[in-house]
């Protein structure tokens, strides 16, 4: 039998002062006792409490009441769950705005866990922003976020950290309508007629339009199993403070002696593009989905080795393939012109 003492006046027709809530397997044994209320067998109490310490200044709930409660630490929801919840609060808020908020606040919470910033931004602040945007859709995202953060209460160092994180995820704090930095326009001259070509219909036209074809035998070796390494990618929005042609940028973990040889983009599906970067010295391949959080690195030194003297350095180009070979690329070494390497990434990136 457990006892919970209640010292509170309940505003109802009957007032229970200094009563006892009693759970008993035999209600008849306590029936009729003064100031005793029998708890229903299905009664449950859910108590929410802030965690102790700054900034919520909550009490040590576990140390005080941990012996009579089954205590559970509730963490912030994961990005997918938080995004689904925000859609319920702001069904008319654009999806890209919700994704920016989830990504920005997720990184701020990570900084709070590392002790870099003091305030652990919770889902409550994000919900307030989304509810405000739902009610006032014409108000800019920067103004709403500025009201939540209240930058006047932070020191300069904390302000710089917050602004850097918000700019990284495309929230334009501090941007001005005049911050437009576009490339200079150069007018093209008027077109001039230079000449024309005419096809001669005399003679054997079929013979004239035939092109010589040279056939060579291609030897296919392999397959070769290569190591693929994943690394995290941080997307930085380039239009947070000013508007330019640049939309976003990433930083690849290139070596000091790596040289970029070729870059190609392939459309994986209707909503996803994949970026391929071929480098030399040594030969390697980087690829990543433009909306993903991870990139991938393939070391091809064993396939394109350098000579002993170190004079020859391969120059590699990359070409993505289409259907039915979508998800594969061809690497071609231009100097020797013998190595053509098809590389498949289907086992690395899951197809949707």
């Amino acid at each position: 039998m457990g006892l919970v003492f209640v010292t509170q006046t309940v505003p109802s027709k009957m007032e229970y002062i200094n009563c006892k809530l009693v759970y008993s397997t035999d209600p008849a044994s306590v029936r009729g006792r003064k100031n005793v209320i029998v708890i229903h067998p299905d009664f449950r109490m859910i108590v929410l409490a802030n965690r102790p310490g700054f900034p919520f200044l909550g009490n040590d709930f576990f140390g005080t009441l941990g012996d009579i409660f089954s205590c559970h630490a509730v963490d912030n929801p994961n990005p997918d769950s938080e995004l689904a919840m925000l859609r319920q609060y702001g069904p008319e808020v654009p999806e890209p705005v919700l994704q920016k908020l989830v990504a920005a606040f997720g990184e701020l919470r990570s900084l709070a866990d590392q002790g870099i910033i003091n305030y652990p931004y919770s889902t409550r602040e994000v919900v307030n922003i989304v509810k405000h945007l739902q009610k006032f859709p014409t108000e800019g995202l920067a103004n709403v976020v500025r009201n939540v953060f209240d930058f006047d209460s932070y020191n300069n160092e904390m302000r710089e950290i917050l602004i850097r994180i918000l700019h990284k995820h495309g929230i334009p704090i501090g941007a001005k309508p005049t911050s437009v930095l576009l490339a200079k326009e150069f007018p093209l001259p008027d077109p001039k007629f230079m000449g024309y070509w005419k096809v001669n219909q005399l003679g054997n036209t079929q013979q004239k339009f035939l092109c010589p074809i040279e056939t060579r035998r291609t030897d296919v070796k392999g397959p070769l199993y290569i190591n693929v390494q994943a690394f995290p990618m941080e997307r930085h929005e380039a239009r947070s403070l000013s508007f330019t042609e640049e939309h976003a940028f990433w930083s690849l973990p290139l070596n000091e002696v790596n040289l970029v040889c070729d870059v190609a983009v392939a459309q994986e599906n209707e909503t996803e593009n994949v970026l391929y970067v071929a480098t030399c010295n040594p030969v390697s391949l980087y690829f990543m989905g433009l909306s993903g959080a991870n990139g991938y690195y393939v070391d091809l030194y064993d396939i394109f080795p350098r000579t002993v003297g170190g004079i020859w350095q391969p120059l590699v180009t990359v070409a993505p393939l289409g259907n039915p070979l979508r998800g594969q690329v061809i690497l071609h070494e231009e100097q020797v012109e013998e190595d053509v390497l098809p590389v498949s990434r289907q086992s690395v990136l899951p197809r949707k």
Side-chain angles (χ1 to χ4, degrees):
M1 180 176 66
L3 299 178
V4 178
F5 295 92
V6 179
T7 58
Q8 181 179 2
T9 302
V10 181
S12 61
K13 295 182 179 179
M14 298 181 62
E15 293 185 353
Y16 299 92
I17 303 176
N18 296 328
C19 294
K20 296 180 180 180
L21 300 180
V22 181
Y23 174 79
S24 176
T25 57
D26 185 12
S29 62
V30 295
R31 186 176 297 127
R33 293 175 57 181
K34 187 178 180 181
N35 297 335
V36 172
I37 302 175
V38 180
I39 300 177
H40 192 275
D42 297 333
F43 174 79
R44 297 294 183 272
M45 181 182 294
I46 300 176
V47 179
L48 302 179
N50 288 327
R51 65 183 185 183
F54 182 85
F56 302 110
L57 302 179
N59 295 322
D60 186 3
F61 182 84
F62 183 79
T64 305
L65 300 174
D67 56 337
I68 60 176
F69 279 95
S70 178
C71 299
H72 301 274
V74 181
D75 201 356
N76 290 299
N78 58 53
D80 294 335
S81 300
E82 188 173 24
L83 188 60
M85 180 183 62
L86 294 180
R87 293 193 188 104
Q88 303 298 321
Y89 284 101
E92 298 178 2
V93 179
E95 183 74 12
V97 174
L98 299 180
Q99 294 176 355
K100 292 178 181 179
L101 291 173
V102 170
F105 276 81
E107 184 166 353
L108 289 175
R109 294 170 195 145
S110 177
L111 295 180
D113 294 337
Q114 300 173 27
I116 299 177
I117 60 178
N118 295 326
Y119 188 81
Y121 294 93
S122 65
T123 307
R124 182 186 308 163
E125 285 82 12
V126 191
V127 170
N128 290 335
I129 293 175
V130 173
K131 291 170 65 176
H132 190 98
L133 293 175
Q134 175 68 20
K135 189 174 182 179
F136 304 98
T138 57
E139 188 169 358
L141 177 61
N143 293 332
V144 181
V145 172
R146 187 183 297 108
N147 293 335
V148 171
F149 282 94
D150 190 13
F151 288 116
D152 292 337
S153 61
Y154 295 96
N155 55 35
N156 293 333
E157 183 179 358
M158 187 67 62
R159 177 188 175 94
E160 292 178 359
I161 294 176
L162 295 176
I163 292 179
R164 176 174 56 83
I165 298 300
L166 295 177
H167 284 177
K168 173 184 174 181
H169 296 284
I171 300 178
I173 294 293
K176 300 179 180 179
T178 57
S179 301
V180 179
L181 304 175
L182 298 178
K184 186 177 180 180
E185 296 183 2
F186 296 92
L188 296 176
D190 296 333
K192 296 181 180 180
F193 178 74
M194 304 299 296
Y196 64 92
W197 290 264
K198 185 170 69 172
V199 179
N200 189 0
Q201 299 293 338
L202 299 178
N204 190 349
T205 57
Q206 182 179 1
Q207 205 174 37
K208 189 174 297 184
F209 283 100
L210 287 178
C211 298
I213 299 176
E214 183 179 355
T215 304
R216 293 184 181 181
R217 179 180 176 83
T218 302
D219 295 330
V220 179
K221 300 178 182 179
L224 298 176
Y225 296 95
I226 52 182
N227 184 27
V228 179
Q229 304 176 16
F231 56 89
M233 293 291 297
E234 290 190 353
R235 176 188 174 100
H236 296 263
E237 298 291 338
R239 297 179 177 177
S240 300
L241 197 57
S242 60
F243 183 83
T244 65
E245 286 89 351
E246 184 181 16
H247 188 268
F249 63 91
W250 300 260
S251 296
L252 292 176
L254 298 176
N255 298 326
E256 295 181 359
V257 294
N258 264 150
L259 299 176
V260 176
C261 296
D262 196 12
V263 178
V265 178
Q267 185 175 6
E268 176 68 14
N269 49 49
E270 296 181 356
T271 60
E272 178 69 351
N273 293 325
V274 180
L275 174 67
Y276 297 93
V277 179
T279 64
C280 62
N281 196 32
V283 177
S284 55
L285 176 67
Y286 297 85
F287 58 92
M288 58 170 290
L290 297 185
S291 62
N294 292 324
Y296 300 88
Y297 166 74
V298 181
D299 186 3
L300 303 175
Y301 177 78
D302 294 335
I303 302 173
F304 297 94
R306 297 175 59 180
T307 58
V308 179
I311 300 176
W312 172 70
Q313 294 182 355
L315 186 61
V316 179
T317 57
V318 58
L321 302 178
N323 284 331
L325 300 177
R326 178 173 294 177
Q328 301 186 20
V329 296
I330 287 182
L331 296 179
H332 177 227
E333 203 293 303
E334 294 183 346
Q335 296 187 22
V336 179
E337 295 184 355
E338 292 182 357
D339 294 325
V340 177
L341 175 66
V343 179
S344 175
R345 63 174 190 86
Q346 295 181 359
S347 62
V348 180
L349 293 181
R351 297 181 62 86
K352 299 180 180 179

